[in-house]
Amino acid sequence: MSEFSLNLTEDQEQIRKWVHDFADDVIRPAAHEWDEREETPWPIIKQAAEIGLYSLDFFGAAFLDPTGLTLPVALEELFWGDAGIGLSLTGTTLAVAGIFANGTDAQTAEWLPRCFGTPDDPKLAAFCVSEPDAGSDVSALRTRAVYDEAKDEWVLNGTKTWITNGGIADVHVVVASVDPTLGSRGQASFIIPSEVSGLSQGQKFKKHGIRASHTAEVGLDDCRVPGSFLLGGKDKLDERMSRAREGKKSGGQAAMRTFEASRPAVAAQAVGIARAAYEFSLEYAKERRQFGRAIIENQSIAFKLADMATRIDAARLLTWRAAWMSAQGMPFTAGEGSMSKLFAGETCVWVTEQAIQILGGYGYVREYPVERWHRDSKIYTIFEGTSEIQRLIISRAISGVHVN
Ligand SMILES: Cc1cc2nc3c(=O)[nH]c(=O)nc-3n(C[C@H](O)[C@H](O)[C@H](O)COP(=O)(O)OP(=O)(O)OC[C@H]3O[C@@H](n4cnc5c(N)ncnc54)[C@H](O)[C@@H]3O)c2cc1C
């Protein structure tokens, strides 16, 4: 077990600086352009792959760091650079976490490298849970996976929506229902590589923020995959479902396990956006003069900045605690993962709005990055569990009551 410490190791400091430099030199200068283009920034993904930042080696090592802090530290810097581009560089990791959490060693070894591709030919991966009628209520998934015993194949049918990298990914990890009568306990995760026939991209969404990140519907029309593409294998699934039928407890459900582990990472992204907006507005407030003095000399502005700094630090502390607990294998008995995601998500929305106020009209126009940070921030109270769902998880965890 690693002690919780706020002091980063030398390695972590180096990684922080390395990612920060890439964010500062490459991502920030490109952020406005890709936000306007609303396209996946392939040239930047390639550049990140070439230096080893967009790679299984980097994310794998960060994920396995015993202190748990390397990943949130790196993500904060990346998203400080830009959230849309940041998500294009990290959307893959959600699928990777899904494979890692549910797959066998052989499946992990086979599929994780393919999620990233190579530096010359980088690839993306997508984690497909949400559906038009199943967002927060993951137990209501309609996508069906039916086993064809004669051929030892799974056949998947359904529609996924809001999928980051959906349709442009080389590997789609799809959560589908095998036995709908069991709700979420009858679900399993499947690998659907891009060459499988019947896999298609539906509409690509035009979004409020994180516009460089591709979000689309994914169609599954009689997609056939070998039996070995069921993550964890059929024996384990059969055993889990028969326990569920007997009313016994299980270790939880595939999609939720992935989200639990990824919450502090998502929180760290939100901290990065908030910090970007805070730093920018602090500098601006010192320079902008009205009524013969810098606007920061007014308490109404200075106190806003004090509150912004305080909330950002609090969000980071919750994030690091949850990331550290997760790395120690400690269960989130009080919903600590959700606390980090809830607080960091709401903090980045609040902080970016204050930043607009501090810049006045300049905060509201696209020549300045602040309005983009505000647009980008809002997704953090929605995806990977809305703020309301995080509050449900926390309130249930602290009370033992099945709060609705
Ligand atoms: C840009 C973007 C990227 C995304 N990427 C992915 C991805 O890669 N993979 C993926 O699977 N999904 C992805 N999602 C989907 C995302 O996780 C869902 O949008 C989210 O879970 C909410 O589901 P919903 O949109 O259907 O809203 P709903 O579940 O319909 O919720 C609507 C409102 O009702 C509230 N609500 C619902 N149930 C309750 C309740 N029991 N108690 C209190 N309030 C409740 C919600 O909090 C929310 O305010 C993405 C979404 C977006 C917008």
Side-chain angles (χ1 to χ4, degrees), residues 87 91 94 126-138 160-166 207 209-210 213-215 259 379 381-389 392 396 403-404:
L87 261 188
L94 204 54
F127 189 57
C128 314
V129 183
S130 305
E131 297 181 359
D133 294 320
S136 301
D137 184 5
V138 178
K160 295 293 179 181
T161 194
W162 312 124
I163 305 305
T164 302
N165 299 336
K207 303 194 298 292
I210 53 162
S213 169
H214 170 105
T215 315
F259 286 134
I379 193 61
T381 66
I382 298 172
F383 69 2
E384 301 234 11
T386 62
S387 286
E388 291 77 13
I389 295 302
L392 265 187
R396 284 175 186 171
V403 180
N404 282 299

Side-chain angles (χ1 to χ4, degrees), residues 34-320:
W34 291 99
D35 175 56
E36 290 290 329
R37 285 172 67 163
E38 299 193 48
E39 284 169 15
T40 301
W42 281 106
I44 296 179
I45 295 173
K46 189 144 193 310
Q47 251 179 294
E50 278 162 3
I51 65 160
L53 177 52
Y54 183 72
S55 72
L56 178 56
D57 278 356
F58 173 67
F59 283 107
F63 204 70
L64 295 175
D65 155 44
T67 73
L69 300 191
T70 302
L71 192 59
V73 164
L75 291 173
E76 181 178 330
E77 298 308 321
L78 210 52
F79 283 71
W80 172 91
D82 181 61
I85 297 174
L87 261 188
S88 295
L89 292 168
T90 56
T92 295
T93 61
L94 204 54
V96 165
I99 296 171
F100 197 72
N102 301 298
T104 61
D105 289 349
Q107 288 169 327
T108 304
E110 180 177 359
W111 293 106
L112 291 198
R114 193 168 157 183
C115 289
F116 287 93
T118 63
D120 286 339
D121 187 17
K123 301 286 186 200
L124 299 170
F127 189 57
C128 314
V129 183
S130 305
E131 297 181 359
D133 294 320
S136 301
D137 184 5
V138 178
S139 67
L141 297 185
R142 287 203 190 147
T143 296
R144 283 297 305 273
V146 176
Y147 187 54
D148 179 345
E149 201 158 359
K151 293 187 174 157
D152 181 28
E153 285 179 347
W154 287 93
V155 187
L156 280 87
N157 278 288
T159 303
K160 295 293 179 181
T161 194
W162 312 124
I163 305 305
T164 302
N165 299 336
I168 61 168
D170 202 43
V171 175
H172 290 75
V173 175
V174 173
V175 181
S177 177
V178 176
D179 183 345
T181 63
L182 298 178
S184 54
R185 295 176 76 186
Q187 295 169 355
S189 300
F190 299 84
I191 299 274
I192 314 287
S194 54
E195 65 274 13
V196 168
S197 85
L199 175 72
S200 63
Q201 181 190 308
Q203 84 160 291
K204 177 186 167 186
F205 295 102
K206 288 182 82 70
K207 303 194 298 292
H208 177 63
I210 53 162
R211 299 195 304 173
S213 169
H214 170 105
T215 315
E217 286 177 338
V218 172
L220 299 146
D221 184 13
D222 277 335
C223 286
R224 279 188 169 266
V225 290
S228 60
F229 286 24
L230 161 63
L231 288 175
K234 189 158 183 311
D235 289 349
K236 208 167 150 198
L237 172 66
D238 286 343
E239 194 193 320
R240 179 155 55 84
M241 291 199 305
S242 68
R243 286 176 68 83
R245 285 187 197 103
E246 287 162 19
K248 290 187 186 150
K249 281 196 162 224
S250 76
Q253 153 247 1
M256 292 321 288
R257 264 203 305 280
T258 307
F259 286 134
E260 274 296 306
S262 63
R263 271 182 193 129
V266 179
Q269 300 173 4
V271 173
I273 303 171
R275 198 184 99 213
Y278 159 72
E279 287 175 1
F280 194 92
S281 46
L282 174 62
E283 286 314 305
Y284 185 88
K286 287 194 217 162
E287 274 165 29
R288 175 71 174 168
R289 296 182 75 80
Q290 290 293 283
F291 300 100
R293 58 178 183 266
I295 59 170
I296 198 168
E297 289 173 45
N298 304 299
Q299 276 193 5
S300 59
I301 298 290
F303 281 15
K304 258 193 224 315
L305 286 157
D307 285 345
M308 288 156 84
T310 306
R311 290 199 200 186
I312 291 169
D313 276 8
R316 185 184 301 105
L317 284 169
L318 284 173
T319 301
W320 285 17

